[in-house]
Amino acid sequence: MVTAITQGVKISVDTIYQDEHSNPANEHYMFAYRIEIENLSDYGIQLMRRQWIIFDSNGTLREVDGEGVVGVQPVIEPGQSYAYVSGCNLKTDMGSMRGHYVMNRLFDNTSFNVDIPEFQLIVPYKLN
């Protein structure tokens, strides 16, 4: 698991290879990741957007940008957390992801970025 804290918002990421949804013969490797967002600040926040940079070990780079996460723009009050699970497919058996969320501080309607720490996507047999 990797974690990072930006402006009082803690991001924790855990990953798992999805063998049953992968097809290595066709260069399709599926990974799931679980992200927990903890609001350690004194103010309510809302997740507005996310941007991902996805690296494949063959040198391919993809950027994904969009509103919210898994179809929602959650409000996270001080001391609360929000967790979700999503997925990413790669053409190779290893890669990585990193990015940021655009958050809105509710009391003054100020936007700020929260870093999503880089995390590895690696098929388990590569770790032996």
Side-chain angles (χ1 to χ4, degrees):
M1 178 179 291
V2 296
T3 62
I5 299 175
T6 307
Q7 295 193 41
V9 181
K10 180 179 178 182
I11 306 296
S12 302
V13 185
D14 202 9
T15 64
I16 187 165
Y17 176 60
Q18 301 286 292
D19 186 50
E20 66 278 8
H21 298 293
S22 298
N23 186 340
N26 290 325
E27 298 180 330
H28 182 80
Y29 299 85
M30 190 68 197
F31 296 86
Y33 55 88
R34 180 185 185 277
I35 296 187
E36 183 174 13
I37 304 164
E38 295 178 71
N39 184 356
L40 306 176
S41 78
D42 295 329
Y43 308 103
I45 57 174
Q46 184 172 15
L47 191 159
M48 304 305 292
R49 302 189 63 78
R50 55 58 175 98
Q51 180 182 36
W52 289 109
I53 299 173
I54 305 166
F55 298 96
D56 233 311
S57 63
N58 63 5
T60 303
L61 173 112
R62 288 182 284 160
E63 292 188 43
V64 177
D65 189 6
E67 291 187 2
V69 290
V70 294
V72 297
Q73 293 177 310
V75 171
I76 310 167
E77 296 295 339
Q80 300 295 309
S81 64
Y82 176 81
Y84 70 96
V85 175
S86 192
C88 177
N89 64 302
L90 299 178
K91 289 189 171 284
T92 61
D93 54 9
M94 11 189 295
S96 65
M97 291 177 66
R98 64 180 168 83
H100 71 269
Y101 296 120
V102 177
M103 297 286 189
N104 187 47
R105 194 173 291 116
L106 297 179
F107 88 97
D108 63 0
N109 204 31
T110 301
S111 292
F112 63 100
N113 289 347
V114 172
D115 293 331
I116 304 167
E118 184 169 3
F119 55 94
Q120 304 300 310
L121 304 167
I122 303 174
V123 174
Y125 67 76
K126 292 295 254 188
L127 298 173
N128 293 332

